[in-house]
Amino acid sequence: MGYIIGKSVYIISSSVDIFGCICHTFGMIIDKSLVVALIESALSADYTGVRRIGGQIAKGLAEQNDIDGAKALQSLLRKRGVPLQASGYAESLPRDAASRLPLIEEGQWPTTPVMLNGESGGTISQFIEDAEHIELLAEKGVSSRLGLLLYGPPGTGKTLLAGHIAASLKRPFYIARLDSLISSRLGETAKNIRGIFEFVPARNAVLFLDEMDAIAKLRDDRHELGELKRVVNTVLQGLDSLTDDVVTIGATNHPHLLDPAIWRRFPYKVNLGLPDENVRASLWLHFLFQGDMSRKEDTQLLARASEGLNGADVENIALAARRRSVLGNQEPSLAQILLAAQGSRAGNPRLLDNRELDTADKKALTIFLHEKGGARQAEIARIVGVSRQMVHRYLRKVSDG
Ligand SMILES: Nc1ncnc2c1ncn2[C@@H]1O[C@H](COP(=O)(O)OP(=O)(O)O)[C@@H](O)[C@H]1O
Ligand SMILES: [Mg+2]
């Protein structure tokens, strides 16, 4: 799949191969072997299996553009499997001794694509290729540990990307948030960390260590310094205990807080910075216009005007706009969406609605489009809904101070 409007945007929407053998059910196409595997898992109370295959089917639906079907199935999969629980079965995930909360959870393969710039996309494809051919690489003596570190500001798609890598490799996706492993009880934290490193290897899974910098927070006064060292060592031992074929993905918003020895354990590193203009264009096109290329010009204007926003910001504004068009029978104007982008950039999110702009809004939007959107005066007049003379006047007031 893919619609690329800028150059060098990578769109990974790890496709599941579901078109091998085909049966038609309720107008959708599913691989017969998936149905067989699903029933087998269900009857043997293999909770993880049911979730995984259910996830594959949801992904298949999404790829056949049955988004509602995919969402419905996914929300079903998020439930904790009542029939299996009733049968006395519960997956034995490692748990924190004090809180009894699971230390790790199985994440779902994502159904929305991730947009990356060319450089990050290249590293990721290489990582996936290496992981797929790890046996050959090991045989030739050139394999390396399959550790990938994703770092960059929040909301840039690290978690989403990790899920895509698991999906591309068709492996279960286990998420451990390091901050939730930190226990107030002395010694428990190290035990929790050991628990996850012992749990994953037998499962041919992708282990995702989210919020890796959480360990550094142990450097506060509630914890003794020795504990921080012990915990870092436990993580290092855990990483070293994994064989080369185990895929480990770490994520952090604060790479500088990460212990250098941990940093070195991840041979592949990708800096997921804020999206560039091309990536922002792909994000707007996907989240707001659902790939409708006839909206290319609006997409490009939005991309120019939304510098500094991350993928999650774009998604939030786009979904708010689409909600208003569903419930309000009228699509919010491009002007409203641009104002929301401007507010988000400035750190004061603005309620998105389909009301008329007042004079203050018109002025603010004119100046914003002129300064940040690189728009010509005629274009500004059209978007803001004022005359060109008015645009001229608004801009002159600014330059006059
Ligand atoms: N590069 C991107 N491509 C597509 N969607 C994105 C991207 N970045 C963020 N998003 C959207 O924002 C949501 C939150 O991103 P997330 O993966 O949780 O970011 P992070 O883990 O870096 O904080 C994602 O689920 C996705 O919908
Ligand atoms: Mg995340």
Side-chain angles (χ1 to χ4, degrees), residues 46-49 52 89-94 104-106 109 166 169-175 194-207 242-243 245-247:
D46 172 4
Y47 188 63
T48 311
R52 182 159 58 254
Y89 176 85
E91 192 184 35
S92 52
L93 293 171
I104 199 165
E105 59 176 297
E106 187 174 1
W109 291 347
L169 296 171
K170 301 195 172 53
R171 295 195 192 197
F173 180 45
Y174 284 106
I175 306 173
R194 274 197 299 277
I196 57 163
F197 282 106
E198 282 160 13
F199 174 80
V200 167
R203 288 173 168 76
N204 190 31
V206 169
L207 170 61
L242 301 175
T243 47
D245 57 318
V246 178
V247 175

Side-chain angles (χ1 to χ4, degrees), residues 112-116 153-160 253 283 287 311-312 315:
T112 60
V114 62
M115 330 284 177
L116 304 171
T156 48
K158 295 183 291 295
T159 303
L160 178 64
N253 300 333
L283 288 163
F287 286 118
E315 181 185 22

